Amino acid sequence: MKKKLTLIELNEFNKDLLKEISSKYNFVNIKKLFDNNIIITDTEDKKEHYNLDPWVQWVSIHTGKPSSEHKILELGKVSELKHSQIWDLLVKNKIKCGVFGAMNSKLKKNNYLKFYVPDPWNYSQKANPKSLNWLISLSKYYSTNYSNINFINLSYNFFKSLFFLN
């Protein structure tokens, strides 16, 4: 059997607290996560609201480049990204993979990238294959319009997402 890799990215969580709670309440599957290789990243950015934001840091993690080099400092600016991301390196080496919800990520189509679903705040990127846009229709609508919800549009996008799941 071929080796398989699953990458789970967790944003702004406390590893020690999660370990403690999973032991206390015997969350077996969460405890199993800690038996795997864990990579913890660090950054040269230290000031809150100045390149320390998650949408900047995830680009750094995905590319292996500091924010001073990748220069993607805002949500939605990822279309300007010039660097390869983790999955771009995998597909370059003919390793099949998929991306689901990677924050502030960019799609570069490739036959080895089997699916790509951007995070809901990534307004410049669409899912691939295109049918997956129905899956994220509600979350994309809400993330774009949360301060000015239109019931008809909300309902329409709800049913699009629901229809995809059936």
Side-chain angles (χ1 to χ4, degrees):
M1 186 170 124
K2 292 182 179 180
K3 285 186 177 184
K4 295 191 176 200
L5 167 70
T6 301
L7 171 65
I8 300 172
E9 299 177 340
L10 300 173
N11 189 50
E12 297 181 19
F13 87 106
N14 184 313
K15 182 180 81 162
D16 296 331
L17 181 61
L18 189 58
K19 273 185 167 182
E20 180 184 324
I21 290 171
S22 63
S23 284
K24 181 177 180 178
Y25 295 105
N26 197 30
F27 294 149
V28 179
N29 291 325
I30 293 174
K31 289 194 312 191
K32 284 181 187 177
L33 285 175
F34 291 105
D35 294 336
N36 295 294
N37 292 331
I38 295 175
I39 297 171
I40 297 173
T41 59
D42 197 13
T43 179
E44 63 188 34
D45 299 314
K46 302 296 180 198
K47 188 175 177 187
E48 192 69 33
H49 305 296
Y50 187 76
N51 302 353
L52 195 55
D53 303 296
W55 49 88
V56 177
Q57 293 304 305
W58 282 116
V59 177
S60 297
I61 293 166
H62 297 148
T63 63
K65 306 290 182 190
S67 63
S68 59
E69 192 172 332
H70 67 65
K71 297 185 182 353
I72 306 299
L73 307 178
E74 298 173 31
L75 277 170
K77 298 292 185 181
V78 76
S79 58
E80 300 168 12
L81 182 64
K82 307 265 188 274
H83 301 285
S84 294
Q85 300 154 113
I86 297 166
W87 48 89
D88 298 323
L89 300 175
L90 293 172
V91 298
K92 184 178 179 181
N93 288 292
K94 299 182 179 179
I95 298 171
K96 294 177 187 174
C97 63
V99 175
F100 189 94
M103 190 173 222
N104 221 10
S105 59
K106 182 177 180 180
L107 171 63
K108 295 178 187 171
K109 288 185 182 180
N110 184 296
N111 289 336
Y112 289 92
L113 185 62
K114 296 303 179 183
F115 63 89
Y116 172 83
V117 179
D119 69 274
W121 299 274
N122 191 339
Y123 311 123
S124 66
Q125 300 294 297
K126 301 287 185 203
N128 187 48
K130 289 180 181 180
S131 61
L132 290 173
N133 285 305
W134 282 55
L135 172 64
I136 59 173
S137 180
L138 179 60
S139 60
K140 281 251 190 196
Y141 174 77
Y142 185 79
S143 70
T144 308
N145 299 287
Y146 65 89
S147 63
N148 190 25
I149 299 291
N150 176 291
F151 182 74
I152 293 171
N153 290 336
L154 180 69
S155 300
Y156 172 72
N157 286 284
F158 169 79
F159 285 111
K160 277 177 69 176
S161 293
L162 186 64
F163 179 77
F164 178 88
L165 295 173
N166 284 326

